[in-house]
Amino acid sequence: MTDASFIRPELAIEAAYGKAKSLSGDAAAVAPAEGPSFGDMIRDAASSAAQTVRLGDATAAAGLTEKAGLQQVVEATMAMESTVRVSVALRDKLVDAYKDIMNMPI
């Protein structure tokens, strides 16, 4: 082994840093990614979920007054149930992530 980085690891770190620095170019020239922000995506998903639940509820009410068929009621109810399950699972994951962050040492 002619590489001295196994003896002095700081040489390997400096070499890797130099290579990474030459690859990145100008950091200020990197433009942010275009598209919706994370907040916009969450807002749109929540709005879509609320709309699905409202539609399922309205279809169930229309089914009680015989303005909607049984198949429509079942499909709307299944979509509503699926949306609620995903929303609850997402909420649980977000709460777990928040708890993990709060338990991290500073």
Side-chain angles (χ1 to χ4, degrees):
M1 291 187 157
T2 60
D3 187 12
S5 63
F6 71 95
I7 297 173
R8 295 184 52 204
E10 65 272 1
L11 292 177
I13 294 170
E14 288 175 16
Y17 177 74
K19 288 178 185 176
K21 188 176 178 183
S22 67
L23 290 175
S24 66
D26 187 13
V30 177
E34 294 297 321
S37 68
F38 182 71
D40 292 340
M41 291 188 322
I42 295 294
R43 185 185 65 236
D44 293 343
S47 174
S48 175
Q51 184 179 5
T52 301
V53 170
R54 281 190 214 109
L55 180 63
D57 191 35
T59 305
L64 291 174
T65 59
E66 297 181 3
K67 293 180 181 177
L70 181 61
Q71 173 122 7
Q72 291 173 327
V73 172
V74 170
E75 288 174 354
T77 303
M78 298 271 294
M80 182 173 58
E81 180 184 5
S82 175
T83 300
V84 170
R85 284 180 190 241
V86 168
S87 298
V88 169
L90 181 62
R91 181 210 56 197
D92 292 344
K93 289 289 185 183
L94 288 172
V95 169
D96 288 342
Y98 176 78
K99 286 179 181 178
D100 288 344
I101 290 170
M102 294 309 292
N103 288 331
M104 286 182 181
I106 296 176

